[in-house]
Short mmCIF file of all heavy atoms in Angstrom, two decimals:
data_model
loop_
_atom_site.label_atom_id
_atom_site.label_comp_id
_atom_site.label_asym_id
_atom_site.label_seq_id
_atom_site.Cartn_x
_atom_site.Cartn_y
_atom_site.Cartn_z
N LYS A 105 -194.55 28.87 -63.72
CA LYS A 105 -194.58 30.31 -64.03
C LYS A 105 -195.98 30.77 -64.44
O LYS A 105 -196.23 31.96 -64.55
CB LYS A 105 -193.63 30.62 -65.19
CG LYS A 105 -192.18 30.42 -64.88
CD LYS A 105 -191.36 30.68 -66.15
CE LYS A 105 -189.94 30.17 -65.99
NZ LYS A 105 -189.31 29.95 -67.31
N ARG A 106 -196.87 29.85 -64.73
CA ARG A 106 -198.22 30.22 -65.18
C ARG A 106 -199.04 30.73 -64.00
O ARG A 106 -198.70 30.48 -62.84
CB ARG A 106 -198.89 29.01 -65.82
CG ARG A 106 -198.13 28.55 -67.06
CD ARG A 106 -198.90 27.51 -67.82
NE ARG A 106 -198.13 27.09 -68.98
CZ ARG A 106 -198.61 26.41 -69.99
NH1 ARG A 106 -199.88 26.06 -70.00
NH2 ARG A 106 -197.84 26.07 -71.01
N PRO A 107 -200.15 31.43 -64.29
CA PRO A 107 -200.99 31.92 -63.20
C PRO A 107 -201.40 30.78 -62.27
O PRO A 107 -201.71 29.67 -62.74
CB PRO A 107 -202.21 32.50 -63.92
CG PRO A 107 -201.78 32.75 -65.32
CD PRO A 107 -200.69 31.76 -65.62
N GLY A 108 -201.41 31.05 -60.97
CA GLY A 108 -201.74 30.05 -59.96
C GLY A 108 -203.05 29.34 -60.23
O GLY A 108 -203.19 28.14 -60.02
N GLU A 109 -204.00 30.09 -60.76
CA GLU A 109 -205.32 29.52 -61.05
C GLU A 109 -205.23 28.41 -62.12
O GLU A 109 -205.88 27.37 -61.99
CB GLU A 109 -206.19 30.66 -61.61
CG GLU A 109 -207.66 30.58 -61.31
CD GLU A 109 -208.36 31.82 -61.86
OE1 GLU A 109 -208.11 32.92 -61.32
OE2 GLU A 109 -209.10 31.68 -62.83
N GLU A 110 -204.40 28.65 -63.15
CA GLU A 110 -204.25 27.63 -64.19
C GLU A 110 -203.51 26.41 -63.62
O GLU A 110 -203.91 25.26 -63.87
CB GLU A 110 -203.51 28.20 -65.42
CG GLU A 110 -203.26 27.11 -66.47
CD GLU A 110 -202.93 27.64 -67.87
OE1 GLU A 110 -203.25 28.80 -68.18
OE2 GLU A 110 -202.35 26.86 -68.66
N VAL A 111 -202.45 26.65 -62.84
CA VAL A 111 -201.68 25.54 -62.26
C VAL A 111 -202.59 24.69 -61.37
O VAL A 111 -202.65 23.46 -61.51
CB VAL A 111 -200.47 26.09 -61.46
CG1 VAL A 111 -199.78 24.97 -60.68
CG2 VAL A 111 -199.47 26.77 -62.41
N ASP A 112 -203.34 25.35 -60.48
CA ASP A 112 -204.24 24.61 -59.59
C ASP A 112 -205.28 23.83 -60.38
O ASP A 112 -205.59 22.68 -60.07
CB ASP A 112 -204.98 25.57 -58.64
CG ASP A 112 -204.03 26.21 -57.63
OD1 ASP A 112 -202.89 25.73 -57.50
OD2 ASP A 112 -204.43 27.20 -56.98
N GLY A 113 -205.80 24.47 -61.43
CA GLY A 113 -206.81 23.82 -62.26
C GLY A 113 -206.26 22.59 -62.96
O GLY A 113 -206.92 21.54 -63.02
N ILE A 114 -205.03 22.70 -63.48
CA ILE A 114 -204.40 21.55 -64.15
C ILE A 114 -204.22 20.40 -63.14
O ILE A 114 -204.53 19.25 -63.43
CB ILE A 114 -203.04 21.95 -64.77
CG1 ILE A 114 -203.24 22.89 -65.96
CG2 ILE A 114 -202.23 20.72 -65.18
CD1 ILE A 114 -201.95 23.50 -66.51
N PHE A 115 -203.76 20.74 -61.93
CA PHE A 115 -203.55 19.69 -60.93
C PHE A 115 -204.87 19.01 -60.56
O PHE A 115 -204.92 17.79 -60.41
CB PHE A 115 -202.87 20.26 -59.68
CG PHE A 115 -201.41 20.59 -59.89
CD1 PHE A 115 -200.73 21.39 -58.99
CD2 PHE A 115 -200.72 20.11 -60.99
CE1 PHE A 115 -199.38 21.69 -59.18
CE2 PHE A 115 -199.39 20.41 -61.19
CZ PHE A 115 -198.71 21.20 -60.28
N GLU A 116 -205.91 19.81 -60.43
CA GLU A 116 -207.22 19.23 -60.11
C GLU A 116 -207.65 18.25 -61.19
O GLU A 116 -208.11 17.14 -60.90
CB GLU A 116 -208.25 20.35 -60.02
CG GLU A 116 -208.88 20.50 -58.66
CD GLU A 116 -209.79 21.72 -58.61
OE1 GLU A 116 -210.88 21.67 -59.24
OE2 GLU A 116 -209.39 22.71 -57.98
N LEU A 117 -207.48 18.67 -62.46
CA LEU A 117 -207.86 17.80 -63.58
C LEU A 117 -207.02 16.53 -63.59
O LEU A 117 -207.52 15.43 -63.85
CB LEU A 117 -207.71 18.54 -64.91
CG LEU A 117 -208.71 19.67 -65.15
CD1 LEU A 117 -208.28 20.53 -66.34
CD2 LEU A 117 -210.11 19.09 -65.40
N LEU A 118 -205.71 16.69 -63.31
CA LEU A 118 -204.82 15.52 -63.31
C LEU A 118 -205.21 14.54 -62.20
O LEU A 118 -205.25 13.32 -62.43
CB LEU A 118 -203.37 15.96 -63.15
CG LEU A 118 -202.70 16.56 -64.40
CD1 LEU A 118 -201.32 17.12 -64.06
CD2 LEU A 118 -202.57 15.51 -65.51
N VAL A 119 -205.48 15.07 -61.02
CA VAL A 119 -205.84 14.19 -59.89
C VAL A 119 -207.13 13.44 -60.22
O VAL A 119 -207.25 12.23 -59.98
CB VAL A 119 -205.96 15.02 -58.58
CG1 VAL A 119 -206.67 14.23 -57.49
CG2 VAL A 119 -204.59 15.47 -58.11
N GLU A 120 -208.08 14.15 -60.81
CA GLU A 120 -209.35 13.53 -61.20
C GLU A 120 -209.10 12.41 -62.22
O GLU A 120 -209.62 11.30 -62.10
CB GLU A 120 -210.24 14.62 -61.79
CG GLU A 120 -211.67 14.24 -62.06
CD GLU A 120 -212.39 15.39 -62.79
OE1 GLU A 120 -212.31 16.55 -62.32
OE2 GLU A 120 -213.01 15.11 -63.83
N TRP A 121 -208.26 12.71 -63.20
CA TRP A 121 -207.96 11.75 -64.26
C TRP A 121 -207.21 10.53 -63.70
O TRP A 121 -207.50 9.38 -64.07
CB TRP A 121 -207.12 12.45 -65.34
CG TRP A 121 -206.74 11.57 -66.49
CD1 TRP A 121 -207.51 11.23 -67.56
CD2 TRP A 121 -205.46 10.91 -66.68
NE1 TRP A 121 -206.80 10.42 -68.40
CE2 TRP A 121 -205.55 10.21 -67.89
CE3 TRP A 121 -204.28 10.88 -65.95
CZ2 TRP A 121 -204.49 9.45 -68.40
CZ3 TRP A 121 -203.22 10.12 -66.45
CH2 TRP A 121 -203.33 9.42 -67.65
N LEU A 122 -206.29 10.77 -62.78
CA LEU A 122 -205.52 9.66 -62.20
C LEU A 122 -206.44 8.70 -61.45
O LEU A 122 -206.24 7.48 -61.48
CB LEU A 122 -204.44 10.20 -61.25
CG LEU A 122 -203.24 10.87 -61.93
CD1 LEU A 122 -202.40 11.64 -60.91
CD2 LEU A 122 -202.38 9.85 -62.66
N GLY A 123 -207.46 9.25 -60.79
CA GLY A 123 -208.36 8.41 -60.01
C GLY A 123 -209.45 7.73 -60.83
O GLY A 123 -210.11 6.80 -60.35
N SER A 124 -209.66 8.17 -62.06
CA SER A 124 -210.74 7.59 -62.87
C SER A 124 -210.19 6.90 -64.12
O SER A 124 -209.98 5.69 -64.13
CB SER A 124 -211.75 8.69 -63.23
OG SER A 124 -211.09 9.77 -63.87
N THR A 125 -209.93 7.68 -65.17
CA THR A 125 -209.50 7.09 -66.45
C THR A 125 -208.20 6.31 -66.32
O THR A 125 -208.08 5.19 -66.83
CB THR A 125 -209.35 8.21 -67.50
OG1 THR A 125 -210.50 9.03 -67.45
CG2 THR A 125 -209.16 7.65 -68.88
N ALA A 126 -207.22 6.91 -65.61
CA ALA A 126 -205.92 6.24 -65.50
C ALA A 126 -206.08 4.93 -64.72
O ALA A 126 -205.48 3.91 -65.08
CB ALA A 126 -204.90 7.16 -64.83
N ALA A 127 -206.91 4.97 -63.68
CA ALA A 127 -207.14 3.74 -62.90
C ALA A 127 -207.76 2.67 -63.79
O ALA A 127 -207.43 1.48 -63.68
CB ALA A 127 -208.03 4.04 -61.70
N GLY A 128 -208.63 3.07 -64.71
CA GLY A 128 -209.23 2.13 -65.66
C GLY A 128 -208.18 1.55 -66.60
O GLY A 128 -208.20 0.35 -66.90
N LEU A 129 -207.25 2.39 -67.03
CA LEU A 129 -206.16 1.90 -67.90
C LEU A 129 -205.31 0.87 -67.14
O LEU A 129 -204.91 -0.15 -67.70
CB LEU A 129 -205.25 3.06 -68.34
CG LEU A 129 -205.78 4.03 -69.39
CD1 LEU A 129 -204.82 5.20 -69.58
CD2 LEU A 129 -205.99 3.32 -70.74
N LYS A 130 -205.09 1.15 -65.87
CA LYS A 130 -204.29 0.22 -65.04
C LYS A 130 -204.99 -1.14 -64.96
O LYS A 130 -204.34 -2.18 -65.08
CB LYS A 130 -204.10 0.84 -63.66
CG LYS A 130 -203.15 0.06 -62.77
CD LYS A 130 -202.91 0.80 -61.47
CE LYS A 130 -202.15 -0.05 -60.48
NZ LYS A 130 -201.85 0.70 -59.24
N ASP A 131 -206.31 -1.11 -64.79
CA ASP A 131 -207.07 -2.37 -64.76
C ASP A 131 -206.91 -3.14 -66.06
O ASP A 131 -207.06 -4.36 -66.10
CB ASP A 131 -208.56 -2.10 -64.51
CG ASP A 131 -208.81 -1.60 -63.09
OD1 ASP A 131 -207.95 -1.83 -62.21
OD2 ASP A 131 -209.86 -0.96 -62.86
N ASN A 132 -206.62 -2.40 -67.14
CA ASN A 132 -206.45 -3.04 -68.44
C ASN A 132 -204.99 -3.28 -68.81
O ASN A 132 -204.65 -3.41 -69.98
CB ASN A 132 -207.15 -2.23 -69.53
CG ASN A 132 -208.67 -2.37 -69.43
OD1 ASN A 132 -209.19 -3.45 -69.18
ND2 ASN A 132 -209.37 -1.26 -69.57
N GLY A 133 -204.10 -3.27 -67.81
CA GLY A 133 -202.72 -3.69 -68.07
C GLY A 133 -201.70 -2.58 -68.27
O GLY A 133 -200.57 -2.86 -68.69
N VAL A 134 -202.06 -1.34 -67.99
CA VAL A 134 -201.08 -0.25 -68.12
C VAL A 134 -200.38 -0.05 -66.77
O VAL A 134 -201.03 0.09 -65.74
CB VAL A 134 -201.75 1.06 -68.59
CG1 VAL A 134 -200.75 2.21 -68.61
CG2 VAL A 134 -202.37 0.89 -69.98
N ALA A 135 -199.04 -0.09 -66.81
CA ALA A 135 -198.24 0.16 -65.60
C ALA A 135 -197.76 1.61 -65.65
O ALA A 135 -197.25 2.06 -66.68
CB ALA A 135 -197.06 -0.79 -65.55
N PHE A 136 -197.94 2.34 -64.56
CA PHE A 136 -197.61 3.77 -64.55
C PHE A 136 -196.30 4.05 -63.82
O PHE A 136 -195.95 3.37 -62.86
CB PHE A 136 -198.74 4.56 -63.87
CG PHE A 136 -199.97 4.67 -64.72
CD1 PHE A 136 -200.95 3.67 -64.71
CD2 PHE A 136 -200.15 5.77 -65.55
CE1 PHE A 136 -202.08 3.76 -65.50
CE2 PHE A 136 -201.29 5.87 -66.34
CZ PHE A 136 -202.26 4.87 -66.31
N ARG A 137 -195.60 5.08 -64.31
CA ARG A 137 -194.40 5.60 -63.64
C ARG A 137 -194.58 7.10 -63.51
O ARG A 137 -195.06 7.75 -64.44
CB ARG A 137 -193.16 5.37 -64.51
CG ARG A 137 -192.85 3.93 -64.82
CD ARG A 137 -192.11 3.24 -63.69
NE ARG A 137 -191.78 1.88 -64.06
CZ ARG A 137 -192.62 0.85 -64.02
NH1 ARG A 137 -193.86 1.01 -63.61
NH2 ARG A 137 -192.24 -0.36 -64.39
N HIS A 138 -194.14 7.65 -62.39
CA HIS A 138 -194.06 9.11 -62.30
C HIS A 138 -192.66 9.54 -62.71
O HIS A 138 -191.67 9.07 -62.14
CB HIS A 138 -194.36 9.62 -60.88
CG HIS A 138 -194.14 11.10 -60.75
ND1 HIS A 138 -193.52 11.67 -59.67
CD2 HIS A 138 -194.46 12.12 -61.60
CE1 HIS A 138 -193.46 13.00 -59.85
NE2 HIS A 138 -194.02 13.29 -61.01
N LEU A 139 -192.58 10.43 -63.69
CA LEU A 139 -191.30 10.99 -64.11
C LEU A 139 -191.30 12.44 -63.66
O LEU A 139 -192.06 13.26 -64.18
CB LEU A 139 -191.14 10.90 -65.63
CG LEU A 139 -191.47 9.55 -66.30
CD1 LEU A 139 -191.32 9.67 -67.82
CD2 LEU A 139 -190.58 8.44 -65.76
N GLY A 140 -190.49 12.76 -62.66
CA GLY A 140 -190.43 14.15 -62.21
C GLY A 140 -190.06 14.25 -60.75
O GLY A 140 -189.90 13.24 -60.06
N ARG A 141 -189.94 15.49 -60.32
CA ARG A 141 -189.60 15.78 -58.93
C ARG A 141 -190.87 15.81 -58.10
O ARG A 141 -191.88 16.33 -58.55
CB ARG A 141 -188.97 17.18 -58.88
CG ARG A 141 -187.63 17.19 -58.26
CD ARG A 141 -187.06 18.58 -58.19
NE ARG A 141 -185.65 18.50 -58.56
CZ ARG A 141 -184.87 19.53 -58.75
NH1 ARG A 141 -185.35 20.75 -58.63
NH2 ARG A 141 -183.60 19.36 -59.05
N ARG A 142 -190.81 15.26 -56.91
CA ARG A 142 -192.00 15.26 -56.05
C ARG A 142 -192.27 16.64 -55.46
O ARG A 142 -193.41 17.09 -55.43
CB ARG A 142 -191.85 14.22 -54.94
CG ARG A 142 -191.90 12.79 -55.51
CD ARG A 142 -191.63 11.75 -54.43
NE ARG A 142 -192.71 11.63 -53.46
CZ ARG A 142 -193.79 10.86 -53.60
NH1 ARG A 142 -193.95 10.15 -54.70
NH2 ARG A 142 -194.70 10.79 -52.65
N GLU A 143 -191.20 17.31 -55.01
CA GLU A 143 -191.38 18.64 -54.43
C GLU A 143 -191.49 19.67 -55.54
O GLU A 143 -190.71 19.58 -56.48
CB GLU A 143 -190.20 19.01 -53.51
CG GLU A 143 -189.89 18.04 -52.41
CD GLU A 143 -189.14 16.80 -52.91
OE1 GLU A 143 -188.27 16.94 -53.79
OE2 GLU A 143 -189.46 15.71 -52.45
N PRO A 144 -192.32 20.64 -55.49
CA PRO A 144 -193.33 20.96 -54.47
C PRO A 144 -194.75 20.57 -54.91
O PRO A 144 -195.67 21.35 -54.76
CB PRO A 144 -193.21 22.49 -54.39
CG PRO A 144 -192.92 22.89 -55.81
CD PRO A 144 -192.26 21.72 -56.50
N LEU A 145 -194.91 19.36 -55.43
CA LEU A 145 -196.26 18.94 -55.85
C LEU A 145 -197.16 18.84 -54.62
O LEU A 145 -196.72 18.42 -53.55
CB LEU A 145 -196.20 17.58 -56.57
CG LEU A 145 -195.61 17.60 -57.99
CD1 LEU A 145 -195.44 16.18 -58.51
CD2 LEU A 145 -196.48 18.43 -58.94
N PRO A 146 -198.44 19.20 -54.78
CA PRO A 146 -199.35 19.12 -53.65
C PRO A 146 -199.59 17.67 -53.22
O PRO A 146 -199.46 16.74 -54.02
CB PRO A 146 -200.65 19.76 -54.16
CG PRO A 146 -200.52 19.80 -55.64
CD PRO A 146 -199.08 19.76 -55.98
N LEU A 147 -199.93 17.50 -51.96
CA LEU A 147 -200.13 16.18 -51.37
C LEU A 147 -201.16 15.35 -52.14
O LEU A 147 -200.98 14.14 -52.35
CB LEU A 147 -200.55 16.34 -49.90
CG LEU A 147 -200.34 15.12 -49.02
CD1 LEU A 147 -198.89 14.67 -49.01
CD2 LEU A 147 -200.81 15.42 -47.59
N SER A 148 -202.24 16.02 -52.58
CA SER A 148 -203.30 15.29 -53.32
C SER A 148 -202.72 14.64 -54.57
O SER A 148 -203.04 13.50 -54.91
CB SER A 148 -204.43 16.26 -53.69
OG SER A 148 -203.91 17.34 -54.43
N MET A 149 -201.83 15.39 -55.26
CA MET A 149 -201.20 14.85 -56.47
C MET A 149 -200.27 13.70 -56.13
O MET A 149 -200.28 12.65 -56.79
CB MET A 149 -200.43 15.99 -57.16
CG MET A 149 -199.60 15.55 -58.33
SD MET A 149 -200.61 15.10 -59.73
CE MET A 149 -201.04 16.74 -60.28
N LEU A 150 -199.48 13.86 -55.07
CA LEU A 150 -198.53 12.80 -54.70
C LEU A 150 -199.27 11.52 -54.32
O LEU A 150 -198.86 10.42 -54.70
CB LEU A 150 -197.64 13.28 -53.56
CG LEU A 150 -196.67 14.41 -53.94
CD1 LEU A 150 -195.92 14.92 -52.71
CD2 LEU A 150 -195.68 13.95 -55.01
N ARG A 151 -200.36 11.68 -53.60
CA ARG A 151 -201.15 10.51 -53.20
C ARG A 151 -201.69 9.79 -54.44
O ARG A 151 -201.63 8.56 -54.54
CB ARG A 151 -202.33 10.94 -52.32
CG ARG A 151 -201.91 11.22 -50.90
CD ARG A 151 -203.09 10.98 -49.95
NE ARG A 151 -202.74 11.43 -48.60
CZ ARG A 151 -203.22 12.53 -48.03
NH1 ARG A 151 -204.09 13.30 -48.67
NH2 ARG A 151 -202.86 12.88 -46.81
N SER A 152 -202.23 10.57 -55.38
CA SER A 152 -202.78 9.97 -56.61
C SER A 152 -201.68 9.28 -57.40
O SER A 152 -201.89 8.18 -57.93
CB SER A 152 -203.42 11.04 -57.49
OG SER A 152 -204.46 11.66 -56.80
N LEU A 153 -200.52 9.92 -57.48
CA LEU A 153 -199.41 9.32 -58.24
C LEU A 153 -198.94 8.03 -57.55
O LEU A 153 -198.70 7.02 -58.22
CB LEU A 153 -198.24 10.31 -58.36
CG LEU A 153 -198.44 11.43 -59.39
CD1 LEU A 153 -197.34 12.48 -59.24
CD2 LEU A 153 -198.46 10.88 -60.82
N ASP A 154 -198.82 8.07 -56.23
CA ASP A 154 -198.36 6.87 -55.51
C ASP A 154 -199.35 5.73 -55.70
O ASP A 154 -198.96 4.57 -55.86
CB ASP A 154 -198.19 7.18 -54.02
CG ASP A 154 -196.99 8.09 -53.77
OD1 ASP A 154 -196.14 8.20 -54.69
OD2 ASP A 154 -196.91 8.69 -52.68
N SER A 155 -200.63 6.08 -55.70
CA SER A 155 -201.64 5.05 -55.84
C SER A 155 -201.62 4.43 -57.24
O SER A 155 -201.67 3.21 -57.38
CB SER A 155 -203.00 5.65 -55.47
OG SER A 155 -204.02 4.93 -56.07
N ILE A 156 -201.49 5.26 -58.26
CA ILE A 156 -201.51 4.72 -59.63
C ILE A 156 -200.20 4.00 -59.96
O ILE A 156 -200.18 3.04 -60.73
CB ILE A 156 -201.85 5.82 -60.68
CG1 ILE A 156 -202.39 5.22 -61.96
CG2 ILE A 156 -200.66 6.70 -61.00
CD1 ILE A 156 -203.81 4.87 -61.92
N CYS A 157 -199.09 4.46 -59.39
CA CYS A 157 -197.78 3.88 -59.73
C CYS A 157 -197.47 2.63 -58.91
O CYS A 157 -196.64 1.82 -59.32
CB CYS A 157 -196.66 4.90 -59.55
SG CYS A 157 -196.82 6.31 -60.66
N GLY A 158 -198.11 2.49 -57.75
CA GLY A 158 -197.83 1.32 -56.92
C GLY A 158 -198.49 0.08 -57.49
O GLY A 158 -199.50 0.18 -58.19
N GLU A 159 -197.93 -1.06 -57.22
CA GLU A 159 -198.51 -2.36 -57.59
C GLU A 159 -198.93 -2.43 -59.06
O GLU A 159 -200.08 -2.17 -59.41
CB GLU A 159 -199.72 -2.67 -56.70
CG GLU A 159 -199.75 -4.13 -56.26
CD GLU A 159 -201.07 -4.48 -55.59
OE1 GLU A 159 -201.52 -3.70 -54.73
OE2 GLU A 159 -201.66 -5.51 -55.97
N ALA A 160 -197.99 -2.81 -59.91
CA ALA A 160 -198.25 -2.91 -61.35
C ALA A 160 -199.23 -4.04 -61.64
O ALA A 160 -199.32 -4.99 -60.87
CB ALA A 160 -196.93 -3.16 -62.08
N PRO A 161 -199.99 -3.93 -62.74
CA PRO A 161 -200.90 -5.02 -63.11
C PRO A 161 -200.12 -6.32 -63.39
O PRO A 161 -198.94 -6.28 -63.70
CB PRO A 161 -201.59 -4.51 -64.36
CG PRO A 161 -200.86 -3.30 -64.80
CD PRO A 161 -200.06 -2.79 -63.66
#
Side-chain angles (χ1 to χ4, degrees):
K105 294 176 194 159
R106 297 189 181 195
E109 211 177 292
E110 176 162 339
V111 171
D112 292 346
I114 291 171
F115 287 165
E116 243 174 72
L117 290 168
L118 283 173
V119 166
E120 189 186 310
W121 180 81
L122 287 167
S124 55
T125 312
L129 286 173
K130 187 174 171 177
D131 291 339
N132 287 319
V134 175
F136 287 86
R137 300 278 183 279
H138 174 223
L139 313 177
R141 236 182 222 173
R142 291 175 70 86
E143 305 77 39
L145 287 172
L147 200 58
S148 56
M149 173 71 77
L150 293 175
R151 282 207 188 106
S152 300
L153 284 170
D154 289 343
S155 156
I156 201 81
C157 296
E159 222 190 313

